[in-house]
Coordinates of all heavy atoms in Angstrom, one line a residue:
T81 N 0.8 -1.2 0.0 CA 0.0 0.0 0.0 C 0.9 1.2 0.0 O 1.9 1.3 0.7 CB -0.9 0.0 1.2 OG1 -1.6 -1.2 1.3 CG2 -1.9 1.2 1.2
V82 N 0.5 2.2 -0.8 CA 1.3 3.5 -0.9 C 0.5 4.6 -0.3 O -0.7 4.8 -0.6 CB 1.6 3.8 -2.3 CG1 2.3 5.1 -2.5 CG2 2.5 2.7 -2.9
L83 N 1.2 5.4 0.5 CA 0.7 6.7 1.0 C 1.4 7.8 0.2 O 2.6 8.0 0.4 CB 0.9 6.9 2.5 CG 0.6 8.3 3.1 CD1 -0.9 8.6 3.0 CD2 1.0 8.4 4.5
L84 N 0.6 8.4 -0.7 CA 1.2 9.4 -1.6 C 0.9 10.8 -1.0 O -0.2 11.1 -0.7 CB 0.6 9.3 -3.0 CG 1.1 10.1 -4.1 CD1 2.6 9.8 -4.3 CD2 0.3 9.9 -5.4
T85 N 2.0 11.5 -0.8 CA 1.9 12.9 -0.2 C 2.9 13.8 -0.8 O 3.9 13.4 -1.3 CB 2.1 12.8 1.3 OG1 1.9 14.1 1.9 CG2 3.4 12.3 1.7
Q86 N 2.5 15.1 -0.9 CA 3.5 16.1 -1.4 C 4.6 16.3 -0.4 O 5.7 16.5 -0.8 CB 2.8 17.4 -1.6 CG 1.9 17.4 -2.8 CD 1.2 18.7 -3.1 OE1 1.3 19.6 -2.3 NE2 0.5 18.8 -4.2
S87 N 4.3 16.2 0.9 CA 5.3 16.3 1.9 C 4.9 15.5 3.2 O 3.8 15.8 3.7 CB 5.5 17.8 2.3 OG 6.3 17.9 3.4
F88 N 5.8 14.7 3.6 CA 5.5 13.9 4.8 C 5.3 14.8 6.0 O 4.6 14.4 7.0 CB 6.5 12.8 5.1 CG 6.2 11.9 6.2 CD1 5.2 10.9 6.0 CD2 6.8 11.9 7.4 CE1 4.9 10.0 7.0 CE2 6.4 11.1 8.4 CZ 5.5 10.1 8.2
D89 N 5.9 16.0 6.0 CA 5.8 16.9 7.1 C 4.4 17.4 7.3 O 4.1 17.9 8.4 CB 6.7 18.1 6.9 CG 8.2 17.7 7.0 OD1 8.5 16.7 7.6 OD2 9.0 18.4 6.4
T90 N 3.5 17.3 6.3 CA 2.1 17.7 6.5 C 1.1 16.6 6.8 O 0.0 16.9 7.0 CB 1.7 18.5 5.2 OG1 1.7 17.6 4.1 CG2 2.5 19.7 4.9
V91 N 1.6 15.4 6.9 CA 0.7 14.3 7.3 C 0.3 14.5 8.7 O 1.0 14.8 9.6 CB 1.5 12.9 7.1 CG1 0.7 11.8 7.8 CG2 1.8 12.6 5.7
G92 N -1.1 14.5 8.9 CA -1.6 14.7 10.2 C -1.9 16.1 10.6 O -2.3 16.4 11.7
E93 N -1.6 17.0 9.7 CA -1.8 18.4 9.9 C -3.3 18.7 10.0 O -4.1 18.3 9.1 CB -1.2 19.3 8.8 CG -0.9 20.7 9.3 CD 0.1 21.4 8.3 OE1 1.3 21.2 8.5 OE2 -0.3 22.0 7.4
M94 N -3.7 19.5 11.0 CA -5.1 19.8 11.1 C -5.4 21.3 10.9 O -4.5 22.1 10.9 CB -5.6 19.5 12.6 CG -5.4 18.0 12.9 SD -5.9 17.6 14.5 CE -7.6 17.6 14.3
S95 N -6.7 21.6 10.7 CA -7.1 23.0 10.5 C -7.0 23.8 11.8 O -6.6 23.3 12.8 CB -8.5 23.1 10.0 OG -9.4 22.6 11.1
C96 N -7.3 25.1 11.7 CA -7.2 25.9 12.9 C -8.3 25.5 14.0 O -8.2 25.9 15.1 CB -7.4 27.4 12.5 SG -8.9 27.8 11.7
N97 N -9.3 24.8 13.6 CA -10.3 24.3 14.5 C -10.2 22.8 14.6 O -10.8 22.1 13.9 CB -11.7 24.7 14.1 CG -12.8 24.2 15.0 OD1 -12.5 23.8 16.1 ND2 -14.0 24.2 14.6
P98 N -9.3 22.3 15.4 CA -9.0 20.9 15.4 C -10.0 20.0 16.1 O -9.7 19.5 17.2 CB -7.6 20.8 16.1 CG -7.7 22.0 17.1 CD -8.5 23.0 16.4
S99 N -11.1 19.9 15.6 CA -12.1 19.0 16.2 C -12.3 17.7 15.3 O -12.2 17.8 14.1 CB -13.5 19.7 16.3 OG -14.0 20.0 15.1
M100 N -12.6 16.6 15.9 CA -12.9 15.4 15.3 C -14.2 14.9 15.7 O -14.5 14.9 16.9 CB -11.8 14.3 15.6 CG -10.5 14.6 15.1 SD -10.4 14.4 13.3 CE -8.7 14.2 13.1
G101 N -15.1 14.6 14.8 CA -16.4 14.1 15.1 C -17.4 15.1 14.7 O -17.2 15.8 13.8
G102 N -18.6 15.1 15.4 CA -19.7 16.0 15.0 C -20.6 15.2 14.2 O -20.4 14.0 13.9
V103 N -21.7 15.8 13.8 CA -22.8 15.1 13.0 C -22.3 14.7 11.7 O -22.4 13.5 11.3 CB -24.0 16.0 12.9 CG1 -25.1 15.3 12.1 CG2 -24.5 16.4 14.3
G104 N -21.6 15.5 10.9 CA -21.2 15.2 9.5 C -19.9 14.4 9.5 O -19.8 13.3 9.0
K105 N -18.8 15.0 10.1 CA -17.5 14.4 10.1 C -17.5 13.1 10.9 O -16.7 12.2 10.7 CB -16.5 15.4 10.6 CG -15.1 15.1 10.2 CD -14.0 16.0 10.7 CE -14.3 17.4 11.0 NZ -13.1 18.1 11.5
G106 N -18.3 13.1 11.9 CA -18.4 11.9 12.8 C -18.8 10.6 12.0 O -18.3 9.5 12.2
T107 N -19.7 10.8 11.1 CA -20.1 9.6 10.2 C -18.9 9.2 9.4 O -18.7 8.0 9.3 CB -21.3 10.0 9.3 OG1 -22.4 10.5 10.1 CG2 -21.7 8.9 8.5
L108 N -18.2 10.1 8.8 CA -17.0 9.7 8.0 C -16.0 9.1 8.9 O -15.4 8.1 8.5 CB -16.5 11.0 7.3 CG -15.2 10.8 6.5 CD1 -15.5 9.9 5.3 CD2 -14.7 12.2 6.1
M109 N -15.8 9.6 10.1 CA -14.8 9.0 11.0 C -15.2 7.6 11.3 O -14.3 6.7 11.4 CB -14.6 9.8 12.2 CG -13.8 11.0 12.0 SD -13.4 11.9 13.5 CE -12.6 10.7 14.5
R110 N -16.4 7.3 11.6 CA -16.8 5.9 11.9 C -16.6 5.0 10.8 O -16.3 3.8 11.0 CB -18.3 5.9 12.4 CG -18.4 6.4 13.8 CD -19.8 6.2 14.4 NE -20.8 7.1 13.8 CZ -20.9 8.4 14.1 NH1 -20.2 8.9 15.1 NH2 -21.8 9.2 13.6
E111 N -16.8 5.4 9.5 CA -16.6 4.6 8.4 C -15.1 4.3 8.2 O -14.7 3.2 8.0 CB -17.1 5.2 7.1 CG -18.6 5.2 7.1 CD -19.2 6.0 5.9 OE1 -18.5 6.5 5.1 OE2 -20.5 6.1 5.8
I112 N -14.2 5.4 8.4 CA -12.8 5.2 8.4 C -12.3 4.3 9.5 O -11.4 3.5 9.4 CB -12.1 6.5 8.3 CG1 -12.4 7.3 7.0 CG2 -10.6 6.4 8.5 CD1 -11.9 8.7 7.0
D113 N -13.0 4.4 10.7 CA -12.6 3.7 11.9 C -12.7 2.2 11.6 O -12.0 1.4 12.1 CB -13.6 4.0 13.0 CG -13.1 3.4 14.3 OD1 -11.9 3.3 14.5 OD2 -14.0 3.2 15.2
A114 N -13.6 1.8 10.7 CA -13.7 0.3 10.3 C -12.4 -0.1 9.6 O -12.1 -1.3 9.6 CB -14.9 0.1 9.4
L115 N -11.6 0.8 9.1 CA -10.3 0.4 8.4 C -9.2 0.5 9.4 O -8.2 1.3 9.3 CB -10.1 1.3 7.2 CG -11.2 1.3 6.2 CD1 -10.9 2.4 5.2 CD2 -11.2 0.0 5.5
D116 N -9.3 -0.2 10.5 CA -8.2 -0.3 11.6 C -8.3 0.8 12.7 O -7.7 0.6 13.7 CB -6.8 -0.4 11.0 CG -5.8 -0.9 12.0 OD1 -6.2 -1.7 12.9 OD2 -4.7 -0.4 11.9
G117 N -9.0 1.9 12.5 CA -9.2 2.8 13.6 C -8.0 3.7 14.0 O -8.0 4.0 15.1
V118 N -7.1 4.0 13.1 CA -6.0 4.8 13.4 C -6.4 6.2 13.9 O -5.9 6.6 15.0 CB -5.0 4.9 12.2 CG1 -3.9 5.9 12.5 CG2 -4.4 3.6 11.8
I119 N -7.3 6.8 13.2 CA -7.7 8.1 13.6 C -8.4 8.1 15.0 O -8.0 8.9 15.9 CB -8.7 8.7 12.6 CG1 -8.0 9.0 11.3 CG2 -9.3 10.0 13.1 CD1 -8.9 9.4 10.2
A120 N -9.2 7.2 15.3 CA -9.9 7.1 16.6 C -8.9 6.8 17.7 O -9.0 7.4 18.8 CB -11.0 6.0 16.5
R121 N -8.0 5.9 17.5 CA -7.0 5.7 18.5 C -6.1 6.9 18.8 O -5.9 7.2 20.0 CB -6.0 4.5 18.1 CG -6.7 3.2 18.1 CD -5.6 2.1 18.1 NE -4.6 2.2 17.1 CZ -4.7 1.7 15.9 NH1 -5.8 1.0 15.5 NH2 -3.7 1.9 15.0
L122 N -5.8 7.7 17.8 CA -5.0 8.9 18.0 C -5.8 10.0 18.6 O -5.3 10.8 19.4 CB -4.4 9.4 16.7 CG -3.3 8.4 16.1 CD1 -2.8 9.0 14.8 CD2 -2.2 8.1 17.0
V123 N -7.1 10.1 18.3 CA -7.9 11.1 18.9 C -8.0 10.8 20.4 O -8.0 11.7 21.3 CB -9.3 11.2 18.3 CG1 -10.3 11.9 19.1 CG2 -9.2 11.8 16.9
D124 N -8.2 9.5 20.8 CA -8.2 9.1 22.2 C -6.9 9.5 22.9 O -7.0 10.0 24.0 CB -8.5 7.6 22.3 CG -9.9 7.2 22.0 OD1 -10.8 8.1 22.0 OD2 -10.1 6.0 21.8
R125 N -5.8 9.4 22.2 CA -4.5 9.6 22.8 C -4.2 11.2 22.9 O -3.6 11.6 23.8 CB -3.4 9.0 22.0 CG -2.1 9.0 22.7 CD -1.0 8.3 21.9 NE -1.4 7.2 21.1 CZ -0.8 6.7 20.0 NH1 0.4 7.3 19.7 NH2 -1.2 5.7 19.4
C126 N -4.7 11.9 21.9 CA -4.4 13.4 21.8 C -5.5 14.3 22.1 O -5.4 15.5 22.0 CB -3.9 13.6 20.4 SG -2.6 12.6 19.8
G127 N -6.6 13.8 22.6 CA -7.8 14.6 22.8 C -7.7 15.5 24.0 O -7.0 15.2 25.0
I128 N -8.2 16.7 23.9 CA -8.2 17.7 25.0 C -9.6 17.7 25.7 O -9.7 17.8 26.9 CB -7.9 19.1 24.4 CG1 -6.5 19.1 23.9 CG2 -8.1 20.1 25.5 CD1 -6.2 20.3 23.1
Q129 N -10.7 17.7 24.9 CA -12.0 17.8 25.4 C -12.9 16.8 24.6 O -12.8 16.8 23.3 CB -12.6 19.2 25.3 CG -14.0 19.3 25.7 CD -14.6 20.7 25.4 OE1 -14.5 21.1 24.2 NE2 -15.3 21.3 26.3
F130 N -13.8 16.1 25.3 CA -14.7 15.2 24.6 C -16.1 15.5 25.1 O -16.4 15.7 26.2 CB -14.4 13.7 25.0 CG -13.0 13.3 24.7 CD1 -12.0 13.5 25.5 CD2 -12.8 12.6 23.5 CE1 -10.7 13.1 25.2 CE2 -11.5 12.2 23.1 CZ -10.5 12.4 24.0
R131 N -17.1 15.6 24.1 CA -18.5 15.9 24.5 C -19.4 15.3 23.4 O -19.0 14.9 22.3 CB -18.7 17.4 24.7 CG -18.5 18.2 23.4 CD -18.7 19.7 23.7 NE -20.1 19.9 24.0 CZ -20.7 21.0 23.7 NH1 -20.1 22.0 23.2 NH2 -22.0 21.1 24.0
V132 N -20.7 15.3 23.8 CA -21.7 14.8 22.9 C -22.5 16.1 22.4 O -23.0 16.8 23.3 CB -22.7 13.8 23.5 CG1 -23.8 13.4 22.6 CG2 -21.9 12.6 23.9
L133 N -22.6 16.3 21.1 CA -23.3 17.4 20.6 C -24.8 17.1 20.5 O -25.2 15.9 20.3 CB -22.8 17.7 19.2 CG -21.3 18.1 19.0 CD1 -21.0 18.3 17.6 CD2 -21.0 19.3 19.8
N134 N -25.7 18.1 20.6 CA -27.1 17.9 20.5 C -27.7 17.0 21.5 O -28.6 16.2 21.2 CB -27.5 17.5 19.1 CG -27.0 18.5 18.0 OD1 -27.1 19.7 18.2 ND2 -26.6 18.0 16.9
R135 N -27.2 17.0 22.7 CA -27.6 16.0 23.7 C -29.1 16.2 24.1 O -29.7 15.2 24.4 CB -26.7 16.2 25.0 CG -26.9 15.2 26.0 CD -26.0 15.4 27.2 NE -24.6 15.2 26.8 CZ -23.8 14.3 27.2 NH1 -24.2 13.4 28.1 NH2 -22.6 14.2 26.8
S136 N -29.6 17.4 24.0 CA -31.0 17.6 24.3 C -32.0 17.2 23.2 O -33.2 17.1 23.4 CB -31.3 19.1 24.6 OG -31.0 19.9 23.5
K137 N -31.4 16.8 22.0 CA -32.3 16.4 20.9 C -32.3 14.9 20.8 O -31.7 14.2 21.6 CB -31.7 17.0 19.6 CG -31.8 18.5 19.7 CD -31.4 19.2 18.4 CE -31.5 20.7 18.6 NZ -31.0 21.4 17.5
G138 N -32.9 14.4 19.8 CA -33.0 12.9 19.7 C -31.7 12.2 19.3 O -30.8 12.9 18.8
P139 N -31.7 10.9 19.4 CA -30.4 10.2 19.1 C -30.0 10.3 17.6 O -28.8 10.1 17.3 CB -30.7 8.8 19.5 CG -32.2 8.7 19.6 CD -32.7 10.1 19.9
A140 N -30.9 10.6 16.7 CA -30.5 10.7 15.3 C -29.6 11.8 15.0 O -28.8 11.8 14.1 CB -31.8 10.8 14.4
V141 N -29.6 12.9 15.9 CA -28.7 14.0 15.6 C -27.6 14.2 16.7 O -26.9 15.2 16.6 CB -29.5 15.3 15.5 CG1 -30.4 15.3 14.2 CG2 -30.4 15.6 16.7
Q142 N -27.6 13.3 17.6 CA -26.5 13.4 18.6 C -25.2 12.8 18.0 O -25.3 11.9 17.2 CB -26.9 12.5 19.9 CG -28.0 13.1 20.7 CD -28.4 12.3 21.8 OE1 -27.9 11.2 22.1 NE2 -29.4 12.8 22.6
A143 N -24.1 13.4 18.4 CA -22.8 13.0 17.9 C -21.7 13.3 18.8 O -21.7 14.4 19.4 CB -22.6 13.7 16.5
P144 N -20.8 12.4 19.0 CA -19.6 12.6 19.8 C -18.6 13.5 19.0 O -18.5 13.5 17.8 CB -19.0 11.3 20.0 CG -19.4 10.4 18.9 CD -20.8 11.0 18.5
R145 N -17.9 14.4 19.8 CA -16.9 15.3 19.2 C -15.8 15.4 20.1 O -16.0 15.5 21.3 CB -17.5 16.7 18.8 CG -16.4 17.5 18.1 CD -16.9 18.9 17.9 NE -16.9 19.6 19.1 CZ -17.4 20.8 19.3 NH1 -18.0 21.4 18.4 NH2 -17.4 21.3 20.5
A146 N -14.6 15.5 19.6 CA -13.4 15.7 20.4 C -12.6 16.9 19.9 O -12.4 17.0 18.7 CB -12.5 14.4 20.4
Q147 N -12.1 17.7 20.8 CA -11.1 18.7 20.4 C -9.7 18.1 20.6 O -9.5 17.4 21.7 CB -11.2 19.9 21.3 CG -12.5 20.7 21.2 CD -12.6 21.4 19.8 OE1 -13.5 21.0 19.1 NE2 -11.7 22.3 19.5
V148 N -8.8 18.3 19.7 CA -7.6 17.5 19.7 C -6.4 18.5 19.7 O -6.5 19.6 19.1 CB -7.5 16.6 18.4 CG1 -6.2 15.9 18.3 CG2 -8.7 15.7 18.4
D149 N -5.4 18.2 20.4 CA -4.1 18.9 20.4 C -3.5 18.8 19.0 O -3.1 17.7 18.6 CB -3.2 18.4 21.5 CG -1.9 19.2 21.6 OD1 -1.1 19.2 20.6 OD2 -1.7 19.9 22.6
R150 N -3.4 19.9 18.2 CA -2.9 19.8 16.9 C -1.5 19.3 16.7 O -1.2 18.4 15.9 CB -3.0 21.2 16.2 CG -4.4 21.7 16.1 CD -4.4 23.2 15.6 NE -3.9 23.3 14.3 CZ -3.2 24.3 13.8 NH1 -2.9 25.3 14.6 NH2 -2.8 24.3 12.6
D151 N -0.6 19.8 17.5 CA 0.8 19.4 17.4 C 1.0 17.9 17.8 O 1.7 17.2 17.2 CB 1.7 20.3 18.3 CG 1.6 21.7 17.8 OD1 1.5 22.0 16.6 OD2 1.8 22.7 18.6
L152 N 0.4 17.5 18.9 CA 0.5 16.2 19.4 C -0.1 15.2 18.4 O 0.5 14.1 18.1 CB -0.2 16.0 20.8 CG -0.1 14.7 21.5 CD1 1.4 14.5 21.8 CD2 -0.8 14.8 22.8
Y153 N -1.3 15.5 17.8 CA -1.9 14.7 16.8 C -1.0 14.5 15.6 O -0.9 13.4 15.1 CB -3.3 15.2 16.4 CG -4.0 14.4 15.4 CD1 -4.7 13.2 15.8 CD2 -4.0 14.6 14.1 CE1 -5.4 12.4 14.9 CE2 -4.6 13.8 13.1 CZ -5.3 12.8 13.6 OH -6.0 11.9 12.6
K154 N -0.5 15.6 15.1 CA 0.4 15.6 13.9 C 1.6 14.7 14.1 O 1.9 13.8 13.3 CB 0.8 17.0 13.5 CG 1.7 17.1 12.3 CD 2.0 18.5 12.0 CE 3.0 18.6 10.8 NZ 3.3 20.0 10.5
A155 N 2.2 14.9 15.3 CA 3.4 14.0 15.6 C 3.0 12.6 15.7 O 3.7 11.7 15.2 CB 4.1 14.5 16.8
A156 N 1.9 12.3 16.4 CA 1.5 10.9 16.6 C 1.1 10.3 15.2 O 1.4 9.1 15.0 CB 0.3 10.9 17.5
M157 N 0.4 11.0 14.4 CA 0.0 10.4 13.1 C 1.2 10.2 12.2 O 1.3 9.1 11.5 CB -0.9 11.4 12.3 CG -1.4 10.9 11.0 SD -2.3 9.3 11.1 CE -3.9 9.8 11.5
Q158 N 2.2 11.1 12.2 CA 3.4 10.8 11.4 C 4.2 9.6 11.9 O 4.7 8.8 11.2 CB 4.3 12.1 11.4 CG 3.7 13.2 10.6 CD 4.6 14.5 10.7 OE1 5.6 14.5 11.3 NE2 4.1 15.5 10.0
A159 N 4.3 9.5 13.3 CA 4.9 8.3 13.8 C 4.2 7.0 13.5 O 4.8 6.0 13.2 CB 5.0 8.5 15.4
E160 N 2.9 7.1 13.6 CA 2.0 5.9 13.2 C 2.2 5.5 11.8 O 2.4 4.3 11.5 CB 0.6 6.2 13.5 CG -0.4 5.1 13.3 CD -0.5 4.1 14.4 OE1 -0.1 4.5 15.6 OE2 -0.9 3.0 14.2
M161 N 2.2 6.5 10.9 CA 2.3 6.1 9.4 C 3.8 5.6 9.1 O 3.9 4.8 8.3 CB 2.0 7.3 8.6 CG 0.5 7.7 8.6 SD -0.5 6.4 7.9 CE -1.2 5.7 9.4
A162 N 4.8 6.2 9.8 CA 6.1 5.7 9.5 C 6.4 4.3 10.0 O 7.1 3.5 9.4 CB 7.1 6.7 10.2
A163 N 5.7 3.9 11.1 CA 5.8 2.6 11.6 C 4.8 1.6 11.2 O 4.9 0.4 11.5 CB 5.8 2.7 13.2
Y164 N 3.8 2.0 10.4 CA 2.7 1.1 10.0 C 3.1 0.1 9.1 O 3.8 0.3 8.1 CB 1.6 2.0 9.4 CG 0.2 1.4 9.5 CD1 -0.6 1.6 10.7 CD2 -0.3 0.6 8.5 CE1 -1.8 1.0 10.8 CE2 -1.6 0.0 8.6 CZ -2.3 0.2 9.8 OH -3.6 -0.3 9.9
P165 N 2.8 -1.2 9.3 CA 3.2 -2.3 8.4 C 2.6 -2.2 7.1 O 1.4 -1.8 6.9 CB 2.8 -3.5 9.2 CG 1.7 -3.1 10.1 CD 1.9 -1.7 10.4
N166 N 3.3 -2.5 6.1 CA 2.8 -2.6 4.7 C 2.4 -1.3 4.1 O 1.6 -1.3 3.1 CB 1.7 -3.6 4.5 CG 2.1 -5.0 5.0 OD1 3.3 -5.4 4.7 ND2 1.3 -5.7 5.6
I167 N 2.9 -0.1 4.6 CA 2.6 1.2 4.0 C 4.0 1.8 3.6 O 4.9 1.9 4.4 CB 1.9 2.1 4.9 CG1 0.4 1.7 5.0 CG2 2.0 3.6 4.4 CD1 -0.5 2.7 5.7
D168 N 4.1 2.1 2.3 CA 5.2 2.8 1.8 C 4.8 4.3 1.6 O 3.9 4.6 0.9 CB 5.7 2.2 0.5 CG 6.2 0.8 0.7 OD1 6.9 0.5 1.7 OD2 5.9 -0.1 -0.2
V169 N 5.6 5.2 2.2 CA 5.3 6.6 2.0 C 6.1 7.1 0.8 O 7.3 6.9 0.7 CB 5.7 7.4 3.3 CG1 5.4 8.9 3.1 CG2 4.9 6.9 4.5
V170 N 5.4 7.8 -0.1 CA 6.0 8.3 -1.3 C 5.8 9.8 -1.4 O 4.6 10.2 -1.3 CB 5.5 7.6 -2.6 CG1 6.1 8.3 -3.9 CG2 5.8 6.1 -2.6
E171 N 6.8 10.6 -1.4 CA 6.7 12.0 -1.5 C 6.8 12.5 -3.0 O 7.6 12.0 -3.7 CB 7.7 12.8 -0.7 CG 7.5 12.5 0.8 CD 8.4 13.3 1.7 OE1 8.2 14.5 1.8 OE2 9.4 12.7 2.2

């Protein structure tokens, strides 16, 4: 398997609002989580705040969200990808 990137230094880089989860992105994360769960494991390790959105509404719109330390997550993701079996990083 090949991880193709313009620069390995940007692997794991997050936006200025480093949240994982929510109603929309949470669905995508759960689908990716089925592929070994690297993102979920790193969010657990690098999370600052965890909460459930829309708690007062029905279960169809409730969603977990985590605020993540950007620098810690980036370093952890780069280390995970460098050590991951059967992945070759190509810049």
Side-chain angles (χ1 to χ4, degrees):
T81 305
V82 173
L83 172 64
L84 186 62
T85 180
Q86 290 182 350
S87 172
F88 188 73
D89 293 336
T90 61
V91 170
E93 200 163 277
M94 300 180 77
S95 68
C96 60
N97 180 15
S99 66
M100 292 288 200
V103 178
K105 201 183 329 179
T107 302
L108 178 64
M109 282 186 59
R110 282 187 289 281
E111 290 176 2
I112 293 172
D113 189 31
L115 302 172
D116 194 33
V118 173
I119 293 174
R121 286 197 313 269
L122 294 180
V123 167
D124 286 344
R125 193 179 326 158
C126 305
I128 297 169
Q129 178 191 45
F130 300 88
R131 62 181 293 209
V132 176
L133 302 177
N134 301 321
R135 191 177 294 246
S136 65
K137 298 182 180 179
V141 294
Q142 292 178 357
R145 185 187 70 192
Q147 293 295 117
V148 179
D149 182 297
R150 294 172 67 213
D151 296 329
L152 188 60
Y153 181 83
K154 180 178 176 180
M157 181 59 82
Q158 289 176 0
E160 183 81 22
M161 290 298 104
Y164 205 86
N166 301 324
I167 286 189
D168 296 317
V169 178
V170 176
E171 292 185 76

